[in-house]
């Protein structure tokens, strides 16, 4: 069985954020960190080496594979900011007017935050934390 690499660690979130070399991506990560703290009311935890997560829930695939993942999280990738856990059923209407984005199976890819409607995005993060129901694991594996 494959070892799960995305697990909570004791690594410092602040050190991770400070290590981001791209100034714009670092600025956006600092802002998103504050936004997710406000939305969740919790402190962040590093998941693996490069995901900043808030809260957790347990998932189980039909295959029997299971694990834990953050309720909402992000990772400042080279090409875009990856925001995870916000793509719950019904979420599309919440993000429709946040500005430019792309979606993956379970995440949003965001460019620079200067082009986003941050008030609408903050509302969407709060909704995801308070009302979102994690996508059924079978949907994640499609």
């Amino acid at each position: 069985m494959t070892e799960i690499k995305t697990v909570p660690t004791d690594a410092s979130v602040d050190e991770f954020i400070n290590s981001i070399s791209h100034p714009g991506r670092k600025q956006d990560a600092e802002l998103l960190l504050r936004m997710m703290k406000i939305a969740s009311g919790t402190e962040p935890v590093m998941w693996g080496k490069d995901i900043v997560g808030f809260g957790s829930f347990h998932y189980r695939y039909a295959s029997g594979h299971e694990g834990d993942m953050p309720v909402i999280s992000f990772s400042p990738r080279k090409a875009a900011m990856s925001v995870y856990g916000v793509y719950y059923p019904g979420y599309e209407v919440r993000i429709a007017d946040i500005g430019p984005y792309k979606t993956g199976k379970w995440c949003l890819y965001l460019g620079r935050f200067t082009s986003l409607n941050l008030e609408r995005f903050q509302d969407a993060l709060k909704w995801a934390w308070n009302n979102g129901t994690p996508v059924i694991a079978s949907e994640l594996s499609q």
Side-chain angles (χ1 to χ4, degrees):
M1 181 171 259
T2 306
E3 178 185 347
I4 299 172
K5 296 178 183 172
T6 307
V7 295
T9 71
D10 292 330
S12 167
V13 171
D14 290 335
E15 286 179 19
F16 171 70
I17 299 292
N18 288 330
S19 75
I20 300 169
S21 59
H22 187 280
R25 189 74 67 224
K26 181 178 180 180
Q27 181 181 22
D28 291 346
E30 290 169 339
L31 176 58
L32 188 51
L33 179 69
R34 289 191 303 274
M35 292 175 76
M36 285 190 172
K37 279 184 178 182
I38 291 167
S40 69
T42 64
E43 290 299 314
V45 172
M46 289 302 301
W47 285 68
K49 63 182 180 73
D50 59 3
I51 296 176
V52 178
F54 294 80
S56 68
F57 72 94
H58 191 77
Y59 66 89
R60 179 177 297 147
Y61 293 114
S63 67
H65 175 79
E66 63 184 291
D68 297 300
M69 60 192 317
V71 176
I72 56 175
S73 58
F74 70 92
S75 185
R77 308 287 187 195
K78 185 176 182 179
M81 183 72 73
S82 296
V83 180
Y84 304 99
V86 294
Y87 204 61
Y88 297 123
Y91 194 73
E92 298 87 351
V93 70
R94 308 262 186 246
I95 62 171
D97 60 352
I98 66 168
Y101 66 88
K102 294 180 182 179
T103 60
K105 280 192 175 185
W106 207 65
C107 64
L108 298 177
Y109 299 109
L110 302 172
R112 286 300 318 274
F113 282 28
T114 54
S115 63
L116 297 179
N117 180 330
L118 295 177
E119 184 177 329
R120 293 293 297 153
F121 186 46
Q122 182 69 51
D123 290 344
L125 289 171
K126 287 179 187 176
W127 180 87
W129 178 263
N130 292 318
N131 302 305
T133 303
V135 176
I136 298 169
S138 62
E139 293 178 33
L140 290 173
S141 61
Q142 293 178 354

